Amino acid sequence: MATYLTMPQTDAEPLGSVLRTLQLREISFGTYEGNNLNQVTGRVYGGQVFAQAVIAAAATLGNGESDREIHSITAAFLRPGDLREPVHFEVEEILDGRSFSTRIVHASQGGRMIFNARASFQEVQPGVEHESPTPHAPDPVSLASSTDFFANLDLPVARMMNSTNAVDIRHVQPPLWVRPAPATSEPNLIWFRLRSPLPEAGQTLQRALLAYATDQFMLEPIMRMHGMFWLDPAVSLATLDHQIWWHRDVDMSDWVLAELSSPSAQGGRGLAVAKFFQKGRHVATMSQEGMVRRKDSRG
């Protein structure tokens, strides 16, 4: 079995469950299957499939012995996933060049495709370098924790979030969990990290976990500008596509700062862009387009 498919073990929950979900079963080389995390919506969490796709693509590089790291992925979410069915992954080997490798990942359930992605890997190489400066933000330990918030909120969705979400999220601006917050023209700033330290792991898993974590807040700058919040029954949200560029190594056991903004929203869709920083370094950039609608309107 490719070593990328072997996850570190931990008794800490909910991280242990997330790692077991990322432990894909190899049906044959390039074909894998994964289970789903429980969700109150009854649908597969997009960040889970995204992270699993990273693992599946990496598993086809040199049987886990490659020194090429994933540096970008462009993904489309095609249909909602059903929690009752495992997700089937098929990986196409498109290119293994001198410096880069390209893979196409198809995820399906019951013969119907729910997700596809193009992933690119590169050998570590020297080259020109510059990066965006880290924005000023309060220390994360001074901010309210999403873990504490959901632990004290007596709602089924809160209990599910607290038992299954392995990420601690801390907003610099007021959070959007249960009520709208004042709109701001400034970028939205969010600190986050895993709730439990990750056992020793390589960059493939670290980068997959960054994808897992970020799908749950990427649309927030759009929501904030239009008075929306996550538990609003009148709001309908879904990820349409998501791109990630990893620039530098990331450690998901330590705090990561997200700087999010939205350049445009129209036609029931919105675009969010985010930069991610850790210890003064710009570690990743993302863009996500999502469906952002009020259920009583077409837009």
Side-chain angles (χ1 to χ4, degrees), residues 54 69-70 201-208 246 248-251:
V54 171
E69 292 290 357
I70 189 166
Q203 273 302 296
T204 297
L205 178 56
Q206 297 279 9
R207 296 180 186 200
W246 291 272
R248 296 170 178 85
D249 288 353
V250 63
D251 178 3

Side-chain angles (χ1 to χ4, degrees), residues 1-162:
M1 177 180 289
T3 57
Y4 289 128
L5 298 177
T6 303
M7 294 294 116
Q9 302 296 310
T10 178
D11 294 330
E13 290 294 344
L15 179 58
S17 293
V18 172
L19 295 177
R20 287 190 293 273
T21 300
L22 297 183
Q23 179 84 63
L24 303 181
R25 297 180 292 279
E26 185 173 30
I27 309 304
S28 60
F29 184 76
T31 303
Y32 312 97
E33 192 172 73
N35 295 329
N36 301 310
L37 292 164
N38 287 331
Q39 300 292 315
V40 72
T41 61
R43 295 180 175 182
V44 175
Y45 167 52
Q48 169 208 301
V49 178
F50 210 165
Q52 289 172 323
V54 171
I55 300 299
T60 65
L61 270 71
N63 198 33
E65 299 175 357
S66 173
D67 59 356
R68 299 185 178 191
E69 292 290 357
I70 189 166
H71 72 90
S72 71
I73 188 168
T74 300
F77 293 83
L78 305 175
R79 293 183 176 91
D82 187 340
L83 285 180
R84 298 169 296 182
E85 294 188 36
V87 182
H88 185 81
F89 294 90
E90 292 188 5
V91 182
E92 295 182 52
E93 298 183 56
I94 303 301
L95 171 71
D96 283 308
R98 294 176 60 185
S99 301
F100 292 87
S101 293
T102 303
R103 299 291 187 265
I104 302 294
V105 184
H106 305 283
S108 61
Q109 289 183 314
R112 289 165 56 88
M113 194 175 300
I114 64 171
F115 169 99
N116 62 31
R118 178 190 58 80
S120 183
F121 299 77
Q122 182 192 11
E123 290 185 5
V124 177
Q125 296 174 314
V128 298
E129 186 166 333
H130 69 271
E131 58 187 298
S132 299
T134 302
H136 176 73
D139 192 299
V141 299
S142 69
L143 302 172
S145 165
S146 62
T147 302
D148 295 339
F149 178 84
F150 287 117
N152 292 300
L153 186 63
D154 188 21
L155 290 173
V157 65
R159 290 190 289 272
M160 178 69 75
M161 282 289 289
N162 197 49

